[in-house]
Amino acid sequence: MASNIALVLLSIFALSINAGPIESPQDSNIFLNDMRFVDSEDRSAIESERARWTNGIVPYYISTSFTSQERAVLEKGLQMISSSTCITFRPATTSDQQSYTYVSIVRGSKNSGCYSYVGRVKRGKQELNIEPDSYCMQPGPVAHEMLHAIGLHHEMSRPDRDDYIVILEENMQSGVISNWKKEPNSLTYGTKYDYMSIMHYGSRAGSKNGKPVMVNKERKEVRMGQLEKLSDSDIVKIKSMYKCN
Ligand SMILES: [Zn+2]
């Protein structure tokens, strides 16, 4: 019994070393530049049916470069989505690789961070990058990136965001403002703006001076973003997008 407990503790310890430091969405570089687009034409097609995964089934492939502990973290990230929505994940088959799109989870190089395409974009391999030994290697960031592939944008890119947040560009690092571009066509499915969406940046993301880059309409700093779970409105959006509510 005691040795079982020791073994469990040891494996948790090993996992936490392997997963790297746990960081909160308040850390300034989390999720900056984490979206990829094929070209401007595909960008406008993200809201269309053809950018959805048929029947909400996402075939995926995990690079063999990941260690088994890292693989377990990735699988946990996928479970965060499948346990609360109608999205299912299945390992890509040879025929997917020839005739359908699948998400290929790549073990990124140093400082590559994490990033994903938005929606289902093209035939064959669609890369989702996870840098090991970084904040990316936690279930929450893995879920965030996979939610981009499923079709979600960042919450603070919603067309109605100016009714809920004020962006303080004076506190922002140079060159990062494009991360706050509004997506005029992104669908909100009747949900209320959600500061606690897993797709919301932390209030100090991209800060150059430790001060917030986003505050609420009353110009107060409030908690924004989290990595623990899909919020209720994240779930509603996915269920609406995939017509399974
Ligand atoms: Zn993102």
Side-chain angles (χ1 to χ4, degrees):
M1 183 65 184
S3 68
N4 279 350
I5 291 170
L7 194 63
V8 168
L9 288 177
L10 190 67
S11 54
I12 291 170
F13 184 60
L15 192 66
S16 62
I17 287 179
N18 211 288
I22 302 297
E23 297 176 64
S24 85
Q26 290 300 347
D27 290 306
S28 62
N29 290 318
I30 284 195
F31 298 132
L32 284 183
N33 306 315
D34 77 328
M35 290 157 80
R36 293 290 181 278
F37 300 94
V38 176
D39 57 34
S40 55
E41 191 189 12
D42 284 82
R43 190 169 176 132
S44 65
I46 290 161
E47 314 323 322
S48 76
E49 292 292 320
R50 74 178 173 84
R52 305 281 171 257
W53 299 86
T54 309
N55 300 323
I57 301 168
V58 183
Y60 70 101
Y61 174 78
I62 295 178
S63 165
T64 52
S65 320
F66 287 107
T67 65
S68 56
Q69 289 95 335
E70 288 167 350
R71 227 187 140 84
V73 173
L74 298 173
E75 299 277 4
K76 257 193 184 155
L78 304 188
Q79 278 161 21
M80 279 173 70
I81 301 172
S82 58
S83 64
S84 54
T85 65
C86 53
I87 299 291
T88 53
F89 298 96
R90 64 163 173 79
T93 61
T94 315
S95 91
D96 292 323
Q97 297 181 15
Q98 285 156 0
S99 61
Y100 194 61
T101 313
Y102 68 101
V103 176
S104 178
I105 306 179
V106 177
R107 192 173 192 274
S109 55
K110 194 162 171 55
N111 299 322
S112 62
C114 30
Y115 55 81
S116 171
Y117 288 89
V118 182
R120 179 169 70 90
V121 291
K122 54 186 176 178
R123 187 162 288 195
K125 181 161 63 175
Q126 170 173 332
E127 287 187 350
L128 186 159
N129 189 83
I130 297 291
E131 180 190 344
D133 305 319
S134 77
Y135 77 87
C136 301
M137 189 44 83
Q138 304 175 70
V142 171
H144 175 109
E145 297 307 328
M146 188 56 89
L147 289 169
H148 280 314
I150 286 165
L152 293 189
H153 288 283
H154 290 138
E155 185 73 357
M156 73 284 175
S157 297
R158 283 169 61 129
D160 61 350
R161 65 107 187 273
D162 294 327
D163 297 335
Y164 299 92
I165 59 169
V166 177
I167 296 170
L168 305 175
E169 221 179 315
E170 64 269 28
N171 294 336
M172 217 176 252
Q173 298 163 22
S174 65
V176 301
I177 186 70
S178 59
N179 286 282
W180 278 264
K181 195 176 165 295
K182 252 195 255 183
E183 295 292 341
N185 301 318
S186 83
L187 301 171
T188 55
Y189 300 103
T191 57
K192 196 172 174 306
Y193 189 90
D194 184 6
Y195 296 108
M196 295 305 282
S197 164
I198 197 170
M199 303 309 284
H200 204 301
Y201 276 13
S203 58
R204 298 179 188 196
S207 174
K208 67 174 179 193
N209 53 16
K211 293 180 184 164
V213 302
M214 286 180 282
V215 288
N216 70 8
K217 281 302 272 186
E218 287 72 46
R219 295 194 159 253
K220 285 213 176 78
E221 188 175 13
V222 293
R223 193 169 169 217
M224 296 180 189
Q226 47 82 28
L227 299 171
E228 288 84 54
K229 58 176 183 155
L230 279 65
S231 71
D232 290 347
S233 78
D234 294 330
I235 294 168
V236 168
K237 277 182 230 161
I238 293 162
K239 287 183 172 173
S240 307
M241 194 178 272
Y242 286 90
K243 301 184 175 69
C244 53
N245 42 355

